[in-house]
PDB file of all heavy atoms in Angstrom:
ATOM      1  N   LEU B  20    -221.688 137.255 -78.169  1.00 64.00           N
ATOM      2  CA  LEU B  20    -221.706 135.799 -78.075  1.00 64.00           C
ATOM      3  C   LEU B  20    -220.366 135.163 -78.427  1.00 64.00           C
ATOM      4  O   LEU B  20    -219.910 134.223 -77.772  1.00 64.00           O
ATOM      5  CB  LEU B  20    -222.802 135.259 -78.986  1.00 64.00           C
ATOM      6  CG  LEU B  20    -222.971 133.756 -78.906  1.00 64.00           C
ATOM      7  CD1 LEU B  20    -223.537 133.358 -77.574  1.00 64.00           C
ATOM      8  CD2 LEU B  20    -223.842 133.264 -80.026  1.00 64.00           C
ATOM      9  N   VAL B  21    -219.739 135.687 -79.463  1.00 65.00           N
ATOM     10  CA  VAL B  21    -218.486 135.064 -79.906  1.00 65.00           C
ATOM     11  C   VAL B  21    -217.418 135.174 -78.822  1.00 65.00           C
ATOM     12  O   VAL B  21    -216.691 134.219 -78.548  1.00 65.00           O
ATOM     13  CB  VAL B  21    -218.019 135.702 -81.236  1.00 65.00           C
ATOM     14  CG1 VAL B  21    -216.706 135.120 -81.663  1.00 65.00           C
ATOM     15  CG2 VAL B  21    -219.056 135.467 -82.310  1.00 65.00           C
ATOM     16  N   SER B  22    -217.350 136.331 -78.155  1.00 70.00           N
ATOM     17  CA  SER B  22    -216.369 136.456 -77.077  1.00 70.00           C
ATOM     18  C   SER B  22    -216.680 135.482 -75.953  1.00 70.00           C
ATOM     19  O   SER B  22    -215.778 134.908 -75.350  1.00 70.00           O
ATOM     20  CB  SER B  22    -216.374 137.855 -76.484  1.00 70.00           C
ATOM     21  OG  SER B  22    -216.664 138.800 -77.428  1.00 70.00           O
ATOM     22  N   ILE B  23    -217.981 135.296 -75.686  1.00 71.00           N
ATOM     23  CA  ILE B  23    -218.345 134.358 -74.614  1.00 71.00           C
ATOM     24  C   ILE B  23    -217.872 132.962 -74.971  1.00 71.00           C
ATOM     25  O   ILE B  23    -217.323 132.250 -74.142  1.00 71.00           O
ATOM     26  CB  ILE B  23    -219.874 134.374 -74.368  1.00 71.00           C
ATOM     27  CG1 ILE B  23    -220.287 135.736 -73.815  1.00 71.00           C
ATOM     28  CG2 ILE B  23    -220.276 133.283 -73.410  1.00 71.00           C
ATOM     29  CD1 ILE B  23    -221.757 135.903 -73.601  1.00 71.00           C
ATOM     30  N   LEU B  24    -218.068 132.586 -76.237  1.00 68.00           N
ATOM     31  CA  LEU B  24    -217.615 131.262 -76.672  1.00 68.00           C
ATOM     32  C   LEU B  24    -216.110 131.117 -76.501  1.00 68.00           C
ATOM     33  O   LEU B  24    -215.614 130.114 -76.004  1.00 68.00           O
ATOM     34  CB  LEU B  24    -218.002 131.023 -78.133  1.00 68.00           C
ATOM     35  CG  LEU B  24    -219.471 130.733 -78.384  1.00 68.00           C
ATOM     36  CD1 LEU B  24    -219.741 130.680 -79.865  1.00 68.00           C
ATOM     37  CD2 LEU B  24    -219.858 129.420 -77.740  1.00 68.00           C
ATOM     38  N   HIS B  25    -215.389 132.145 -76.926  1.00 70.00           N
ATOM     39  CA  HIS B  25    -213.933 132.064 -76.818  1.00 70.00           C
ATOM     40  C   HIS B  25    -213.489 131.983 -75.366  1.00 70.00           C
ATOM     41  O   HIS B  25    -212.648 131.164 -75.002  1.00 70.00           O
ATOM     42  CB  HIS B  25    -213.293 133.288 -77.481  1.00 70.00           C
ATOM     43  CG  HIS B  25    -213.343 133.228 -78.966  1.00 70.00           C
ATOM     44  ND1 HIS B  25    -213.597 134.322 -79.741  1.00 70.00           N
ATOM     45  CD2 HIS B  25    -213.177 132.195 -79.804  1.00 70.00           C
ATOM     46  CE1 HIS B  25    -213.596 133.962 -81.003  1.00 70.00           C
ATOM     47  NE2 HIS B  25    -213.346 132.681 -81.076  1.00 70.00           N
ATOM     48  N   LEU B  26    -214.072 132.836 -74.532  1.00 74.00           N
ATOM     49  CA  LEU B  26    -213.683 132.815 -73.127  1.00 74.00           C
ATOM     50  C   LEU B  26    -214.086 131.498 -72.478  1.00 74.00           C
ATOM     51  O   LEU B  26    -213.353 130.956 -71.654  1.00 74.00           O
ATOM     52  CB  LEU B  26    -214.320 133.987 -72.387  1.00 74.00           C
ATOM     53  CG  LEU B  26    -213.706 135.344 -72.706  1.00 74.00           C
ATOM     54  CD1 LEU B  26    -214.526 136.454 -72.091  1.00 74.00           C
ATOM     55  CD2 LEU B  26    -212.281 135.415 -72.189  1.00 74.00           C
ATOM     56  N   GLY B  27    -215.250 130.978 -72.886  1.00 71.00           N
ATOM     57  CA  GLY B  27    -215.706 129.713 -72.332  1.00 71.00           C
ATOM     58  C   GLY B  27    -214.749 128.591 -72.663  1.00 71.00           C
ATOM     59  O   GLY B  27    -214.428 127.749 -71.827  1.00 71.00           O
ATOM     60  N   GLU B  28    -214.267 128.612 -73.879  1.00 68.00           N
ATOM     61  CA  GLU B  28    -213.276 127.635 -74.329  1.00 68.00           C
ATOM     62  C   GLU B  28    -212.052 127.669 -73.430  1.00 68.00           C
ATOM     63  O   GLU B  28    -211.584 126.655 -72.926  1.00 68.00           O
ATOM     64  CB  GLU B  28    -212.901 127.991 -75.763  1.00 68.00           C
ATOM     65  CG  GLU B  28    -211.794 127.189 -76.367  1.00 68.00           C
ATOM     66  CD  GLU B  28    -212.293 125.898 -76.953  1.00 68.00           C
ATOM     67  OE1 GLU B  28    -213.461 125.861 -77.345  1.00 68.00           O
ATOM     68  OE2 GLU B  28    -211.513 124.943 -76.994  1.00 68.00           O
ATOM     69  N   ARG B  29    -211.545 128.885 -73.200  1.00 69.00           N
ATOM     70  CA  ARG B  29    -210.348 129.024 -72.379  1.00 69.00           C
ATOM     71  C   ARG B  29    -210.638 128.646 -70.940  1.00 69.00           C
ATOM     72  O   ARG B  29    -209.836 128.018 -70.276  1.00 69.00           O
ATOM     73  CB  ARG B  29    -209.810 130.466 -72.421  1.00 69.00           C
ATOM     74  CG  ARG B  29    -209.534 130.979 -73.786  1.00 69.00           C
ATOM     75  CD  ARG B  29    -208.285 130.366 -74.391  1.00 69.00           C
ATOM     76  NE  ARG B  29    -207.100 130.656 -73.620  1.00 69.00           N
ATOM     77  CZ  ARG B  29    -206.199 129.739 -73.310  1.00 69.00           C
ATOM     78  NH1 ARG B  29    -206.362 128.507 -73.682  1.00 69.00           N
ATOM     79  NH2 ARG B  29    -205.133 130.064 -72.630  1.00 69.00           N
ATOM     80  N   PHE B  30    -211.816 129.040 -70.467  1.00 72.00           N
ATOM     81  CA  PHE B  30    -212.179 128.768 -69.079  1.00 72.00           C
ATOM     82  C   PHE B  30    -212.254 127.273 -68.836  1.00 72.00           C
ATOM     83  O   PHE B  30    -211.723 126.759 -67.865  1.00 72.00           O
ATOM     84  CB  PHE B  30    -213.518 129.421 -68.769  1.00 72.00           C
ATOM     85  CG  PHE B  30    -213.953 129.300 -67.330  1.00 72.00           C
ATOM     86  CD1 PHE B  30    -213.431 130.141 -66.368  1.00 72.00           C
ATOM     87  CD2 PHE B  30    -214.881 128.349 -66.948  1.00 72.00           C
ATOM     88  CE1 PHE B  30    -213.825 130.041 -65.049  1.00 72.00           C
ATOM     89  CE2 PHE B  30    -215.282 128.244 -65.628  1.00 72.00           C
ATOM     90  CZ  PHE B  30    -214.753 129.092 -64.675  1.00 72.00           C
ATOM     91  N   SER B  31    -212.906 126.559 -69.774  1.00 66.00           N
ATOM     92  CA  SER B  31    -213.075 125.130 -69.531  1.00 66.00           C
ATOM     93  C   SER B  31    -211.770 124.379 -69.701  1.00 66.00           C
ATOM     94  O   SER B  31    -211.573 123.326 -69.114  1.00 66.00           O
ATOM     95  CB  SER B  31    -214.135 124.562 -70.460  1.00 66.00           C
ATOM     96  OG  SER B  31    -213.733 124.717 -71.787  1.00 66.00           O
ATOM     97  N   LYS B  32    -210.837 124.926 -70.475  1.00 62.00           N
ATOM     98  CA  LYS B  32    -209.555 124.231 -70.622  1.00 62.00           C
ATOM     99  C   LYS B  32    -208.699 124.379 -69.386  1.00 62.00           C
ATOM    100  O   LYS B  32    -207.847 123.557 -69.100  1.00 62.00           O
ATOM    101  CB  LYS B  32    -208.815 124.760 -71.836  1.00 62.00           C
ATOM    102  CG  LYS B  32    -209.255 124.050 -73.090  1.00 62.00           C
ATOM    103  CD  LYS B  32    -208.410 124.403 -74.262  1.00 62.00           C
ATOM    104  CE  LYS B  32    -208.924 123.638 -75.474  1.00 62.00           C
ATOM    105  NZ  LYS B  32    -208.457 124.230 -76.696  1.00 62.00           N
ATOM    106  N   ARG B  33    -208.909 125.478 -68.655  1.00 59.00           N
ATOM    107  CA  ARG B  33    -208.181 125.677 -67.407  1.00 59.00           C
ATOM    108  C   ARG B  33    -208.683 124.746 -66.333  1.00 59.00           C
ATOM    109  O   ARG B  33    -208.037 124.518 -65.337  1.00 59.00           O
ATOM    110  CB  ARG B  33    -208.398 127.105 -66.909  1.00 59.00           C
ATOM    111  CG  ARG B  33    -207.805 128.115 -67.771  1.00 59.00           C
ATOM    112  CD  ARG B  33    -206.488 128.584 -67.189  1.00 59.00           C
ATOM    113  NE  ARG B  33    -205.776 129.307 -68.190  1.00 59.00           N
ATOM    114  CZ  ARG B  33    -206.247 130.423 -68.726  1.00 59.00           C
ATOM    115  NH1 ARG B  33    -207.385 130.928 -68.326  1.00 59.00           N
ATOM    116  NH2 ARG B  33    -205.572 131.031 -69.649  1.00 59.00           N
ATOM    117  N   PHE B  34    -209.900 124.283 -66.543  1.00 51.00           N
ATOM    118  CA  PHE B  34    -210.585 123.510 -65.537  1.00 51.00           C
ATOM    119  C   PHE B  34    -209.757 122.294 -65.153  1.00 51.00           C
ATOM    120  O   PHE B  34    -209.144 121.654 -65.984  1.00 51.00           O
ATOM    121  CB  PHE B  34    -211.918 123.090 -66.137  1.00 51.00           C
ATOM    122  CG  PHE B  34    -212.841 122.451 -65.178  1.00 51.00           C
ATOM    123  CD1 PHE B  34    -213.180 123.091 -64.021  1.00 51.00           C
ATOM    124  CD2 PHE B  34    -213.361 121.210 -65.445  1.00 51.00           C
ATOM    125  CE1 PHE B  34    -214.044 122.491 -63.146  1.00 51.00           C
ATOM    126  CE2 PHE B  34    -214.221 120.611 -64.584  1.00 51.00           C
ATOM    127  CZ  PHE B  34    -214.564 121.253 -63.423  1.00 51.00           C
ATOM    128  N   SER B  35    -209.774 121.968 -63.863  1.00 45.00           N
ATOM    129  CA  SER B  35    -208.879 120.913 -63.374  1.00 45.00           C
ATOM    130  C   SER B  35    -209.162 119.549 -64.004  1.00 45.00           C
ATOM    131  O   SER B  35    -208.296 118.699 -64.004  1.00 45.00           O
ATOM    132  CB  SER B  35    -208.953 120.816 -61.866  1.00 45.00           C
ATOM    133  OG  SER B  35    -209.944 121.638 -61.358  1.00 45.00           O
ATOM    134  N   HIS B  36    -210.364 119.326 -64.505  1.00 42.00           N
ATOM    135  CA  HIS B  36    -210.630 118.040 -65.155  1.00 42.00           C
ATOM    136  C   HIS B  36    -210.853 118.295 -66.633  1.00 42.00           C
ATOM    137  O   HIS B  36    -211.991 118.483 -67.071  1.00 42.00           O
ATOM    138  CB  HIS B  36    -211.850 117.368 -64.542  1.00 42.00           C
ATOM    139  CG  HIS B  36    -211.802 117.337 -63.056  1.00 42.00           C
ATOM    140  ND1 HIS B  36    -210.932 116.535 -62.370  1.00 42.00           N
ATOM    141  CD2 HIS B  36    -212.463 118.054 -62.137  1.00 42.00           C
ATOM    142  CE1 HIS B  36    -211.086 116.743 -61.091  1.00 42.00           C
ATOM    143  NE2 HIS B  36    -212.006 117.664 -60.905  1.00 42.00           N
ATOM    144  N   PRO B  37    -209.789 118.319 -67.411  1.00 38.00           N
ATOM    145  CA  PRO B  37    -209.913 118.796 -68.796  1.00 38.00           C
ATOM    146  C   PRO B  37    -210.776 117.908 -69.685  1.00 38.00           C
ATOM    147  O   PRO B  37    -211.136 118.321 -70.766  1.00 38.00           O
ATOM    148  CB  PRO B  37    -208.465 118.811 -69.293  1.00 38.00           C
ATOM    149  CG  PRO B  37    -207.726 117.922 -68.373  1.00 38.00           C
ATOM    150  CD  PRO B  37    -208.439 117.916 -67.077  1.00 38.00           C
ATOM    151  N   GLU B  38    -211.127 116.699 -69.232  1.00 37.00           N
ATOM    152  CA  GLU B  38    -211.919 115.850 -70.137  1.00 37.00           C
ATOM    153  C   GLU B  38    -213.367 116.332 -70.235  1.00 37.00           C
ATOM    154  O   GLU B  38    -214.089 115.972 -71.134  1.00 37.00           O
ATOM    155  CB  GLU B  38    -211.836 114.375 -69.728  1.00 37.00           C
ATOM    156  CG  GLU B  38    -212.295 114.041 -68.344  1.00 37.00           C
ATOM    157  CD  GLU B  38    -211.204 114.273 -67.308  1.00 37.00           C
ATOM    158  OE1 GLU B  38    -210.139 114.823 -67.649  1.00 37.00           O
ATOM    159  OE2 GLU B  38    -211.425 113.926 -66.159  1.00 37.00           O
ATOM    160  N   GLU B  39    -213.787 117.164 -69.285  1.00 39.00           N
ATOM    161  CA  GLU B  39    -215.150 117.681 -69.363  1.00 39.00           C
ATOM    162  C   GLU B  39    -215.155 118.928 -70.227  1.00 39.00           C
ATOM    163  O   GLU B  39    -214.586 119.937 -69.868  1.00 39.00           O
ATOM    164  CB  GLU B  39    -215.668 118.008 -67.976  1.00 39.00           C
ATOM    165  CG  GLU B  39    -216.041 116.763 -67.211  1.00 39.00           C
ATOM    166  CD  GLU B  39    -216.546 117.079 -65.831  1.00 39.00           C
ATOM    167  OE1 GLU B  39    -217.518 117.853 -65.728  1.00 39.00           O
ATOM    168  OE2 GLU B  39    -215.974 116.561 -64.878  1.00 39.00           O
ATOM    169  N   VAL B  40    -215.780 118.818 -71.364  1.00 40.00           N
ATOM    170  CA  VAL B  40    -215.785 119.945 -72.287  1.00 40.00           C
ATOM    171  C   VAL B  40    -217.142 120.635 -72.212  1.00 40.00           C
ATOM    172  O   VAL B  40    -218.177 119.994 -72.156  1.00 40.00           O
ATOM    173  CB  VAL B  40    -215.503 119.468 -73.723  1.00 40.00           C
ATOM    174  CG1 VAL B  40    -215.550 120.626 -74.678  1.00 40.00           C
ATOM    175  CG2 VAL B  40    -214.167 118.780 -73.769  1.00 40.00           C
ATOM    176  N   LEU B  41    -217.100 121.925 -72.176  1.00 41.00           N
ATOM    177  CA  LEU B  41    -218.347 122.687 -72.107  1.00 41.00           C
ATOM    178  C   LEU B  41    -219.000 122.758 -73.467  1.00 41.00           C
ATOM    179  O   LEU B  41    -218.341 122.876 -74.479  1.00 41.00           O
ATOM    180  CB  LEU B  41    -218.032 124.108 -71.666  1.00 41.00           C
ATOM    181  CG  LEU B  41    -218.234 124.434 -70.216  1.00 41.00           C
ATOM    182  CD1 LEU B  41    -218.096 125.916 -70.043  1.00 41.00           C
ATOM    183  CD2 LEU B  41    -219.591 123.991 -69.753  1.00 41.00           C
ATOM    184  N   TRP B  42    -220.295 122.682 -73.483  1.00 40.00           N
ATOM    185  CA  TRP B  42    -221.033 122.897 -74.714  1.00 40.00           C
ATOM    186  C   TRP B  42    -221.684 124.249 -74.643  1.00 40.00           C
ATOM    187  O   TRP B  42    -222.713 124.420 -74.010  1.00 40.00           O
ATOM    188  CB  TRP B  42    -222.101 121.826 -74.878  1.00 40.00           C
ATOM    189  CG  TRP B  42    -221.575 120.629 -75.550  1.00 40.00           C
ATOM    190  CD1 TRP B  42    -220.938 119.583 -74.975  1.00 40.00           C
ATOM    191  CD2 TRP B  42    -221.619 120.349 -76.942  1.00 40.00           C
ATOM    192  NE1 TRP B  42    -220.585 118.667 -75.912  1.00 40.00           N
ATOM    193  CE2 TRP B  42    -220.989 119.109 -77.130  1.00 40.00           C
ATOM    194  CE3 TRP B  42    -222.128 121.028 -78.046  1.00 40.00           C
ATOM    195  CZ2 TRP B  42    -220.863 118.539 -78.385  1.00 40.00           C
ATOM    196  CZ3 TRP B  42    -221.994 120.449 -79.292  1.00 40.00           C
ATOM    197  CH2 TRP B  42    -221.366 119.219 -79.455  1.00 40.00           C
ATOM    198  N   TYR B  43    -221.079 125.207 -75.267  1.00 40.00           N
ATOM    199  CA  TYR B  43    -221.702 126.517 -75.285  1.00 40.00           C
ATOM    200  C   TYR B  43    -222.505 126.636 -76.549  1.00 40.00           C
ATOM    201  O   TYR B  43    -222.014 126.370 -77.628  1.00 40.00           O
ATOM    202  CB  TYR B  43    -220.642 127.614 -75.274  1.00 40.00           C
ATOM    203  CG  TYR B  43    -219.981 127.714 -73.955  1.00 40.00           C
ATOM    204  CD1 TYR B  43    -218.751 127.143 -73.744  1.00 40.00           C
ATOM    205  CD2 TYR B  43    -220.628 128.335 -72.908  1.00 40.00           C
ATOM    206  CE1 TYR B  43    -218.152 127.204 -72.513  1.00 40.00           C
ATOM    207  CE2 TYR B  43    -220.038 128.396 -71.675  1.00 40.00           C
ATOM    208  CZ  TYR B  43    -218.815 127.838 -71.486  1.00 40.00           C
ATOM    209  OH  TYR B  43    -218.229 127.883 -70.269  1.00 40.00           O
ATOM    210  N   SER B  44    -223.706 127.046 -76.434  1.00 39.00           N
ATOM    211  CA  SER B  44    -224.481 127.268 -77.643  1.00 39.00           C
ATOM    212  C   SER B  44    -225.470 128.360 -77.324  1.00 39.00           C
ATOM    213  O   SER B  44    -225.795 128.581 -76.168  1.00 39.00           O
ATOM    214  CB  SER B  44    -225.186 125.996 -78.051  1.00 39.00           C
ATOM    215  OG  SER B  44    -225.993 125.562 -76.991  1.00 39.00           O
ATOM    216  N   PRO B  45    -225.927 129.033 -78.354  1.00 38.00           N
ATOM    217  CA  PRO B  45    -226.872 130.117 -78.109  1.00 38.00           C
ATOM    218  C   PRO B  45    -228.070 129.554 -77.361  1.00 38.00           C
ATOM    219  O   PRO B  45    -228.579 128.513 -77.723  1.00 38.00           O
ATOM    220  CB  PRO B  45    -227.252 130.567 -79.522  1.00 38.00           C
ATOM    221  CG  PRO B  45    -226.233 129.992 -80.412  1.00 38.00           C
ATOM    222  CD  PRO B  45    -225.654 128.803 -79.763  1.00 38.00           C
ATOM    223  N   GLY B  46    -228.483 130.208 -76.365  1.00 38.00           N
ATOM    224  CA  GLY B  46    -229.683 129.790 -75.671  1.00 38.00           C
ATOM    225  C   GLY B  46    -229.457 128.848 -74.506  1.00 38.00           C
ATOM    226  O   GLY B  46    -230.170 128.897 -73.532  1.00 38.00           O
ATOM    227  N   CYS B  47    -228.455 127.989 -74.607  1.00 40.00           N
ATOM    228  CA  CYS B  47    -228.235 127.120 -73.454  1.00 40.00           C
ATOM    229  C   CYS B  47    -226.799 127.266 -72.977  1.00 40.00           C
ATOM    230  O   CYS B  47    -225.880 126.676 -73.485  1.00 40.00           O
ATOM    231  CB  CYS B  47    -228.588 125.671 -73.756  1.00 40.00           C
ATOM    232  SG  CYS B  47    -227.388 124.765 -74.676  1.00 40.00           S
TER     233      CYS B  47
END
Side-chain angles (χ1 to χ4, degrees):
Chain B
L20 183 69
V21 177
S22 327
I23 294 177
L24 286 173
H25 286 141
L26 287 172
E28 174 85 27
R29 304 286 299 134
F30 184 80
S31 62
K32 275 188 180 161
R33 293 260 166 62
F34 188 55
S35 7
H36 311 289
E38 59 276 7
E39 284 180 56
V40 178
L41 261 190
W42 273 86
Y43 288 100
S44 57
C47 79

